[in-house]
Amino acid sequence: MLCNQPIPRFFTQPVSASTAFAQLHTAALGVEFARDLAHLSGGFGTKTIKGALHWYYAFRDVDQSVRQIYVGPDTTAVQALVGQARAAEPSAGVFPS
């Protein structure tokens, strides 16, 4: 009888399915990051840490304290993100949908 059989906890998946899930997960994290920044009013800034330049996004929290979100190291991808955000209209948000 099938109802007496234990249900396996894990199923073996093909590598292609695992790769597709990993790519989808990465894209979803990127969208979530974009959504978070789009709803904050603040600005980008840099800090030099151990001789390397890093980008941060600073904003005022509800209690008016300054908060910073780490964006990433000074790479061309991060520079493109900062450029896109600075070129966006304030009413449209950082990443208009």
Side-chain angles (χ1 to χ4, degrees):
M1 294 178 63
L2 291 176
C3 58
N4 291 336
Q5 299 277 333
I7 299 173
R9 291 183 178 219
F10 302 100
F11 295 97
T12 304
Q13 295 181 351
V15 174
S16 60
S18 296
T19 302
F21 175 79
Q23 290 174 343
L24 177 63
H25 184 258
T26 302
L29 288 176
V31 168
E32 181 66 18
F33 175 71
R35 185 191 65 80
D36 287 345
L37 283 182
H39 294 91
L40 297 174
S41 60
F44 289 93
T46 58
K47 289 183 183 179
T48 302
I49 300 174
K50 295 184 181 180
L53 196 63
H54 295 269
W55 285 91
Y56 288 83
Y57 187 81
F59 64 98
R60 289 205 179 267
D61 208 350
V62 175
D63 63 357
Q64 296 303 309
S65 62
V66 176
R67 301 280 311 259
Q68 292 183 341
I69 298 173
Y70 179 70
V71 178
D74 189 32
T75 63
T76 55
V78 172
Q79 290 174 2
L81 171 73
V82 172
Q84 179 184 1
R86 287 181 173 165
E89 295 179 8
S91 62
V94 176
F95 298 96
S97 47

